[in-house]
Amino acid sequence: MQLLPADRRRKNIFIVCESTSDIPPVWTDPVAVAAVLDNLLSNAVKYSFPGKKIRVQLRGEMTSVMCSVCDEGPGLSQEDQAKLFQRGVPLSPVATGGEPSSGYGLAVAKELIDKLAGDLCCESTLGAGACFSFRLPAYHEHQ
């Protein structure tokens, strides 16, 4: 499956989706998860340089499902990583195609994932891209 944000075509960005076969079901709000994925993919496109790749990975774990969106953009400094998920707080990276940024998307994504009993995190090295991942608990019969 390929997701193609509008700016993806203008920047010639290729989105690769990978999944393991052992994905357990999750009991979640599909609209909230779609909003989180939309934000993570939009950010990946916004901060990726033309001609680069975005990797979306879905994998099952013992008691959860992990979804990651990893780009080949400028990455985030330690200072910026400390400010992630705060409403309206601007970060240093500049969108590579002049796209606007409000500083609210990641904060809202974090709030949504928290309400779904999940976790949203970021791994990044300045100059080497960013990887945002969220984990949702797997469905268990007693839920």
Side-chain angles (χ1 to χ4, degrees), residues 35-112:
V36 170
L37 272 173
D38 179 67
N39 176 262
L40 297 181
L41 281 167
S42 295
N43 283 348
V45 169
K46 185 185 304 185
Y47 296 104
S48 287
F49 298 105
K52 294 295 184 178
K53 235 187 293 187
I54 295 170
R55 191 171 302 291
V56 179
Q57 299 170 314
L58 187 64
R59 68 180 180 275
E61 298 179 345
M62 293 292 272
T63 60
S64 62
V65 173
M66 175 74 86
C67 180
S68 300
V69 177
C70 305
D71 65 43
E72 298 176 344
L76 296 163
S77 68
Q78 292 295 328
E79 294 80 20
D80 280 331
Q81 289 181 56
K83 296 187 275 185
L84 279 175
F85 312 123
Q86 297 177 29
R87 285 181 173 261
V89 176
L91 303 177
S92 299
V94 176
T96 58
E99 301 93 338
S101 177
S102 68
Y104 286 88
L106 286 173
V108 171
K110 174 85 167 117
E111 290 171 16
L112 288 170

Side-chain angles (χ1 to χ4, degrees), residues 2-3 8 10 19 25-26 35 55 64 79 84 88 109 113 118 123 126 133 136 138:
Q2 279 194 356
L3 304 170
R8 191 237 29 118
R10 183 168 45 96
S19 175
V26 295
R55 191 171 302 291
S64 62
E79 294 80 20
L84 279 175
I113 292 298
E123 292 182 22
L126 192 58
S133 300
L136 294 173

